[in-house]
Amino acid sequence: EIGEERAARGGAMMAERMKNQEKAQRQYEEDMRNPGLREDREAKERRERTMRRLMEEIEADNKKKRERAKEILGKVPETPESRTKAMEKALKEARDEVLKIRKEQKEGESGRKKLSAADEEEDDEDEDDERPKSGADRAREAAAAAAGGRPRLPGDEDVTRGELDESTKVESSSSTTTGPLQVEVS
């Protein structure tokens, strides 16, 4: 009876070993057909796990804050209203700052008339379309577009593989020199 149990366990272990070897062989063949696919998939899974964990932590923090506010105030504060007011205040401050800068520019230029209040409001509405974007704004938009509208995370394809110009020739072995630094890949 003991011999039969050992034989059954040995057979099960051998079957599991064969199954693992077949799985490893399939993975190897897939890696040869599509290099980097497995790493990309693993990176995506890590990103998703990280995002889930972060969102859970944020939600837990927000829940604690609401509970703490309820303890202190006796009720949960109305956050959407306060957010709206804060946004309106920030927009008003930005408009005022733009008007101030435009007035300073107009005062600095000779031979031009000052804008009336109605003209300033019209110009303020059109100003968003006329104002050129800074380099930082363009870079943020490009990064957001490349990442699907979200911030870049470790494990993103452009972070894991690096960012190469299309003109850069990639070979199996190469060397390059930049200033005092020489890099050789083989």
Side-chain angles (χ1 to χ4, degrees), residues 153-165:
L153 298 171
D156 282 353
E157 183 173 316
D158 62 339
V159 176
T160 57
R161 290 195 178 173
E163 299 171 359
L164 299 176
D165 293 333

Side-chain angles (χ1 to χ4, degrees), residues 107-120:
E107 290 172 2
E109 296 176 8
S110 61
R112 286 197 169 191
K113 65 176 187 172
K114 288 191 174 185
L115 296 174
S116 67
D119 290 339
E120 285 179 342

Side-chain angles (χ1 to χ4, degrees), residues 65-78:
K65 288 177 185 176
R66 284 192 298 270
E67 290 172 358
R68 181 77 174 131
K70 189 173 182 179
E71 286 177 12
I72 293 172
L73 300 174
K75 64 175 184 168
V76 177
E78 295 293 325

Side-chain angles (χ1 to χ4, degrees), residues 82-101 120-121 124-125 127-128 131:
S82 62
R83 286 182 187 163
T84 304
K85 287 181 182 177
M87 183 61 79
E88 288 174 358
K89 181 181 175 186
L91 287 172
K92 184 180 183 313
E93 289 175 359
R95 280 192 203 105
D96 293 343
E97 183 68 24
V98 168
L99 288 175
K100 178 182 171 188
I101 291 171
E120 285 179 342
E121 288 178 9
D124 190 38
E125 292 173 4
E127 188 162 323
D128 292 334
R131 182 180 56 148

